[in-house]
Amino acid sequence: MTVLHAPVGVRSIVTSLVAFFILASSIVFLLDRGQEEQVQMAVEHGRQEVQGDASNEERNWSRGRWVYDNVSRPLYNGLKCAFIFPEVACDKYGRKDVMYQHWRWQPHGCDLPRFDAIELLEKLRNKRLVFVGDSVNRNQWVSLVCMVEASIPDDRLKIRIFNGSLISFKALEYNATIDFYWSPLLVESNSDNPIIHRVEYRIIRADRIEKHASVWRDADIIVFNSYLWWRKQKDDMRMKVMYGSFEDGDAKLDEMEMVDGFEIALKKLTEWLGENIDKNKTRIFFAGSSPTHSWASNWGGEDKNKCLNETEPIYKTGYKAATTDYSLMATAKSFFRTLEPKGIHVQILNITELSDYRKDGHPTVFRRQFVPLTKEQIADPASYADCTHWCLPGVPDVWNEFLYGYLVHK
């Protein structure tokens, strides 16, 4: 048998090629394995980032920008909401531009949970949600009612009940109640009548809260708001705090700064929550400060116009009006932090900065007036324009998207 031998040079070349392919295959294998490990590390890192975002979710929601969206906004038709209040029904009362209804809040790096009225009503089945506070909190209550009532087409299955300081919306099919209770200064005060009160003259009773607390005691969810009434209407404005009672003959009135009164009210509220709240049943929220836009010079306008004829948000990132007091929310947080050792958590709805951008979102003169404004009065926005409350649909819908996100997704 004849054996054919390759020449020595050829054998060397073949041997080298085989060795090269073996080495290359090994390198490819190692690279593939390294890539798999890197992908796995990236996945794990991504999970860590998601977990980190979840722990800071509210902070992420509160930082972002307004995006014009005439496809998914507004979330409801204000003209068709039978429960809307005329003070915030701006398009009904003559506002022609409706751009304010089409802005969507887009947080940086994440999305707000998509609002689902049916899902919220299921979450509220056999439960009671109570908004407690002033007219801005009532603004948010009206917003939430309009956001859910459109999903209940049968008018017989939804009702509104007025009972003094308490207004109730009931979704009968779900046995769900969404209430608003007027308590602008949290504790008992001379402003407890929702119709008859004087904004510029305020007296609180430092040690009395039970009259109000008896209304929200059995609630499953409470949303407090108290900011507007602690702001000074003028630089030298002060308030009175009453200790004791006229009935017992030991009444004493002390005059003090508004912020000191705010701390007294928070102290009493915190004490009551710590002693009475069932932490396994009741979830508690405290809404952040709702900015006003009464000084147009804050964004380069003329103060005499206030916020009249504004049609777009402020676009400057991180804008904070000089007249928006962020310190009151820091004060509230410090009081609520004392409840944590008892297992009671008060979630702040951080809506201040996002609302600060929205100089365009207020009723101005386009709202129901007790006496219709004359042409001359309409032309005098400095005296008659409302730059405190919010048109609906509008900014408070986003506040409720925050609330929905916490209730349904956390």
Side-chain angles (χ1 to χ4, degrees), residues 90-91 94-100 366:
C90 303
D91 49 357
R95 182 165 179 174
K96 301 302 181 184
D97 73 281
V98 291
M99 281 182 64
Y100 67 91
F366 302 109

Side-chain angles (χ1 to χ4, degrees), residues 191-404:
S191 304
D192 286 346
N193 187 307
I195 299 174
I196 304 172
H197 51 255
R198 293 175 61 191
V199 176
E200 69 278 3
Y201 181 65
R202 300 165 198 176
I203 302 174
I204 63 170
R205 303 187 71 171
D207 53 353
R208 299 294 179 90
I209 196 173
E210 191 57 42
K211 180 183 76 173
H212 296 325
S214 63
V215 177
W216 69 64
R217 180 185 293 272
D218 67 339
D220 300 280
I221 303 155
I222 311 173
V223 183
F224 292 103
N225 176 296
S226 188
Y227 168 68
L228 183 64
W229 283 64
W230 303 103
R231 293 176 64 241
K232 289 186 174 185
Q233 303 297 313
K234 50 187 179 179
D235 291 340
D236 61 347
M237 183 174 177
R238 292 165 66 85
M239 70 179 303
K240 290 183 170 63
V241 178
M242 179 177 176
Y243 297 88
S245 68
F246 292 114
E247 295 87 345
D248 297 334
D250 60 350
K252 183 181 73 168
L253 283 175
D254 287 347
E255 187 174 270
M256 62 183 63
E257 295 292 335
M258 305 297 295
V259 66
D260 296 326
F262 182 55
E263 292 183 4
I264 289 172
L266 283 175
K267 181 175 183 292
K268 186 61 182 178
L269 174 64
T270 304
E271 288 174 354
W272 189 93
L273 293 173
E275 295 169 1
N276 295 277
I277 282 296
D278 181 351
K279 63 183 179 182
N280 297 315
K281 174 192 176 184
T282 305
R283 296 188 67 175
I284 308 168
F285 297 86
F286 198 90
S289 310
S290 172
T292 62
H293 291 92
S294 297
W295 302 99
S297 56
N298 283 336
W299 59 85
E302 296 184 18
D303 285 340
K304 66 178 182 179
N305 295 326
K306 296 180 78 172
C307 63
L308 185 67
N309 296 327
E310 297 290 347
T311 59
E312 296 182 64
I314 294 165
Y315 294 111
K316 181 182 177 182
T317 302
Y319 170 82
K320 293 183 179 180
T323 51
T324 302
D325 188 350
Y326 283 74
S327 66
L328 289 181
M329 288 304 100
T331 300
K333 287 180 182 179
S334 67
F335 275 91
F336 296 138
R337 206 172 289 127
T338 64
L339 293 171
E340 296 287 348
K342 297 182 178 181
I344 300 172
H345 177 64
V346 178
Q347 179 63 58
I348 302 294
L349 295 177
N350 192 354
I351 51 86
T352 306
E353 183 175 323
L354 69 90
S355 306
D356 225 348
Y357 294 119
R358 293 300 304 277
K359 60 182 171 59
D360 61 312
H362 301 284
T364 63
V365 297
F366 302 109
R367 51 173 290 179
R368 184 184 69 178
Q369 306 285 344
F370 291 108
V371 178
L373 298 181
T374 65
K375 289 182 179 180
E376 291 73 22
Q377 290 172 326
I378 292 175
D380 182 20
S383 300
Y384 296 98
D386 178 358
C387 297
T388 298
H389 301 94
W390 301 93
C391 294
L392 295 179
V395 174
D397 302 338
V398 176
W399 307 349
N400 285 320
E401 287 182 281
F402 278 31
L403 180 62
Y404 168 81

Side-chain angles (χ1 to χ4, degrees), residues 105-147:
W105 180 248
Q106 178 59 57
H108 295 317
C110 64
D111 293 317
L112 279 174
R114 187 176 181 84
F115 182 79
D116 186 323
I118 297 298
E119 192 172 12
L120 178 60
L121 286 169
E122 285 291 354
K123 188 72 176 180
L124 296 178
R125 185 181 288 276
N126 300 320
K127 290 184 172 63
R128 180 174 179 240
L129 186 163
V130 185
F131 289 88
V132 177
D134 56 25
S135 56
V136 172
N137 211 21
R138 185 173 60 211
N139 208 164
Q140 184 177 359
W141 172 81
V142 173
S143 162
L144 187 61
V145 169
C146 287
M147 288 168 75

Side-chain angles (χ1 to χ4, degrees), residues 41-62:
M41 289 174 63
V43 170
E44 293 299 328
H45 180 64
R47 287 174 182 161
Q48 291 173 0
E49 287 184 340
V50 169
Q51 291 170 353
D53 285 346
S55 66
N56 294 308
E57 191 170 11
E58 185 270 343
R59 175 179 59 83
N60 289 337
W61 289 349
S62 66

Side-chain angles (χ1 to χ4, degrees), residues 158-173:
K158 50 188 176 183
I159 58 174
R160 180 174 59 183
I161 303 171
F162 291 86
N163 183 16
S165 296
L166 182 68
I167 313 173
S168 300
F169 170 81
K170 295 182 180 294
L172 302 180
E173 182 181 358

